[in-house]
Structure formats: C-alpha cells, structure tokens
Amino acid sequence: MTFENTQVLLASRPDGKPKPDDFEIGHSAIPEPAAGQILLKILYLSLDPYMRGRMNAGKSYAKPVEIGSVMEGGTVARVVRSRHPDFAEGDFVLSHSGWQSYALSDGVGLRKLDPQAAPLTTALGVLGMPGFTAYSGLLTIGKPKAGETVVVAAASGAVGSAVGQIARIKGARAVGIAGGASKCAFVRDELGFDAVIDHRAADFAEQLATACPGGIDVYFENVGGHVWDAVFPLLNDFARVPVCGLIAQYNSRPGEQTGGDRLPTVMRDVLSKSLSIRGFIQREFVDQRPDFYREMAAWISAGKVRYQEDIVDGLENAPTAFIGLLEGRNFGKLVIRVADEA
C-alpha cells in the first residue's frame, strides 16, 4: 500500500458560515479490497447544499459527519480493483464515497453507469439526485396542472432548473427566481422559463407580483429568507409548496432568527387559503426512480430539458467551492473533478 488517498475531513463544526479551517486535508493508505469488495477511484464529487446540515451536530434526517471523518457526498467512480463477482475493473459506478480520492465498497447501493449513454457527470446532476429531487417533489407534491403558475427559487441551480423545465413540459407557466443578470438570462434564454426575477433587485417583491398576475399555484422552495417573504402573499387558494431546501438559513446559528415571528401569519394563511406545505427528502420516493430515469433521459434527448454544470478541478478545492455554493457563487450543478476519466 502507498499513502496516496487524499481525503477532506471535517475539522470543526462551523459557527455560522463555514470557513476553510473547518476542513482539513488528510492522507491515508489506499486500501486493498477484501473478498466481496471493490476499490473505487473517485472521478467526480458532487457538492450540494444539504452537506451544510451534515456539518452540524443537531438532530436531522441523517446522522452528522463526525469530527475527523471524511465529508460525505455522492460520487462517480471507476472500479480499479475488484474482488466482487458483479463488478469488473473499468466499470463506472455511482456511489456515495464522500470527499476522497479512493474508497472501498461492498457493492451495496452502487449503480453502474454507461458513459456512452450520457456524460458521467450527469449522474450527479440532471440524471441524478438533484434531477430526481426536482422530478419527485414537483410531480408528487406540487402536482402542477396546465395553465397554472409554478415559481421556483434558485432557478439556475441543479434542482431549480429542472423544476421549471418539468413544469413547462406539464403545461404550466414557469417563473424562476435567480441571483444576478447572467443567471437570470440563462434561465430565461437557455432554459425557456416564461419569466425570471432577480432576487437581488431592490424592487424584487414588486417584480415578482407583476410576473405572477394570477398568483402562484405551486412554489418549489429551495431558499427561504426574503424570497419566501415575497412569494408567500402571492400564493393562491389551494397552492402547493414542496419544501426542498432553505439555503438562506443553513448558516444560521441555533435559535437565531432574523425579522419578526412569521408563524402566526403563515398559519393563518395555511388555514384560510387551504395551503399544502410539505417538506420532503427525495429518497421517500425511491419507487419513482425507474420512471424518472426513463422520462428525464427522453426529455434531455428531445431538447426539452437542458442543464448547466460548474466543474471545479482538484479535490483540495472542494472546501472553497462548497463555501461558494452556499453563497450562490456557482453557476449550475457544482461538481469537483477529482481525477480524469481515462
């Protein structure tokens, strides 16, 4: 064995926004697979907002990363050594190996990938967890109907971009919310949304109301914060709100709250407007994955769904890229290229 496995470890739990010294670069021996195991060389690492919650110690829907442990995350890898009957050297797989350059696996939970069918990186984005999050959350909870207005925050991101395009496929009107002129132009001109509003604009709430003259029937929540404040008054009777993420609040300290107590107003309108607000985790809808893979691949092939990827080279750059993700500096699905595919 040689000491060549580079790993990004959680060095400390962030107090508010993560800092570079909350991470540590470590090195360990590349392990040898035992009988029934395979050795994976990580090619691509997905960076996603949910990882911020894993850095906290509080109770959530998944266990936190322990101090000194490898940061977790979805990966695309190549099998470099196999002692497993179902995997051969050279196979490409989708795994959950975390922020490191090599990992052992017993094959459980792996999905083989065909690089001829789609670029490998799409397994971490539009054809992976973010795309499935958009698909399952919008269609199962949002249930958009033809002619309705669907609004989605973080519309240039991996989840939001898919939400708006699927809404249009279903005959709904898609209104995106994004940050900055270039992202807004991409959502409007490349993704084909019916309207897009820059949440950084001083008159953001007024622009959103103008873009939704008939109100909002479905709001796919990725952000929270001032975006939610502008959306909420526009929700129609019987509106549906799939709650996927709250990125504006991920860096808040425990018990920290900005502004006044919104709960009485929210609950009053939940009652009076018969609103449906439901948080979800995409794994709740695992039985829908075959339909998702089939339909999303067909939509991409037909040009009905487009996607943007933001690829950063080097595992050592993952902490900085992740901090930027939480500040909205990425443009599209954020992926770290850990090693070349060849």
Side-chain angles (χ1 to χ4, degrees):
M1 294 188 295
T2 56
F3 289 87
E4 297 177 2
N5 186 20
T6 301
Q7 301 171 311
V8 180
L9 313 175
L10 179 63
S12 58
R13 302 207 182 279
D15 180 20
K17 294 182 179 181
K19 305 177 298 298
D21 58 9
D22 289 323
F23 304 89
E24 179 183 354
I25 303 297
H27 301 278
S28 64
I30 298 175
E32 286 288 335
Q37 292 184 322
I38 56 178
L39 177 63
L40 301 176
K41 182 176 183 178
I42 311 305
L43 305 179
Y44 298 103
L45 165 67
S46 177
L47 295 185
D48 300 283
Y50 79 84
M51 296 171 175
R52 176 61 185 86
R54 299 290 195 278
M55 299 175 75
N56 294 337
K59 184 178 179 181
S60 185
Y61 61 87
K63 289 179 61 177
V65 176
E66 297 297 332
I67 299 296
S69 296
V70 176
M71 286 288 296
E72 74 164 63
T75 56
V76 167
R78 184 176 70 247
V79 177
V80 291
R81 291 202 62 185
S82 178
R83 298 186 65 187
H84 193 295
D86 298 333
F87 297 91
E89 293 181 12
D91 284 347
F92 294 100
V93 297
L94 177 67
S95 67
H96 201 80
S97 300
W99 298 25
Q100 56 185 337
S101 53
Y102 289 89
L104 285 178
S105 172
D106 60 5
V108 175
L110 299 187
R111 181 166 69 90
K112 290 186 181 180
L113 301 173
D114 180 1
Q116 303 303 314
L120 291 172
T121 50
T122 60
L124 300 174
V126 69
L127 285 170
M129 182 272 289
F132 181 61
T133 298
Y135 176 93
S136 60
L138 178 65
L139 299 183
T140 306
I141 302 170
K143 299 179 180 177
K145 303 179 182 68
E148 289 189 325
T149 294
V150 175
V151 173
V152 58
S156 68
V159 175
S161 61
V163 167
Q165 292 178 92
I166 295 170
R168 297 195 79 243
I169 290 169
K170 298 301 180 180
R173 183 169 175 270
V175 177
I177 299 170
S182 60
K183 290 182 179 180
C184 288
F186 171 75
V187 171
R188 180 184 61 247
D189 301 335
E190 297 296 324
L191 302 183
F193 281 47
D194 296 282
V196 59
I197 312 299
D198 188 342
H199 68 77
R200 298 175 182 172
D203 60 344
F204 162 62
E206 291 79 6
Q207 288 191 40
L208 181 63
T210 300
C212 304
I216 297 171
D217 301 294
V218 180
Y219 173 53
F220 197 100
E221 175 66 287
N222 289 319
V223 173
H226 80 285
V227 173
W228 166 258
D229 291 341
V231 167
F232 186 70
L234 304 178
L235 293 176
N236 289 330
D237 290 353
F238 306 105
R240 289 83 69 196
V241 182
V243 181
C244 170
L246 298 167
I247 194 169
Q249 298 164 220
Y250 286 166
N251 289 328
S252 298
R253 296 177 175 86
E256 183 178 30
Q257 179 175 311
T258 57
D261 184 0
R262 299 172 176 85
L263 185 59
T265 300
V266 170
M267 294 304 292
R268 181 194 64 209
D269 281 12
V270 167
L271 174 61
S272 63
K273 291 184 176 182
S274 297
L275 303 179
S276 296
I277 302 176
R278 187 196 156 181
F280 74 101
I281 309 299
Q282 50 84 25
R283 66 189 181 204
E284 300 168 22
F285 308 120
V286 62
D287 59 320
Q288 298 179 19
R289 284 180 182 166
D291 291 337
F292 161 71
Y293 292 133
R294 183 184 66 256
E295 291 197 275
M296 184 61 85
W299 291 336
I300 293 172
S301 178
K304 294 181 179 180
V305 170
R306 299 182 179 184
Y307 62 92
Q308 172 91 357
E309 295 178 331
D310 189 340
I311 298 179
V312 175
D313 284 304
L315 182 61
E316 69 279 4
N317 294 318
T320 300
F322 178 67
I323 292 169
L325 169 70
L326 297 175
E327 297 175 350
R329 296 204 298 262
N330 63 300
F331 193 165
K333 177 69 194 85
L334 184 56
V335 175
I336 299 293
R337 183 168 20 230
V338 180
D340 293 332
E341 294 181 17

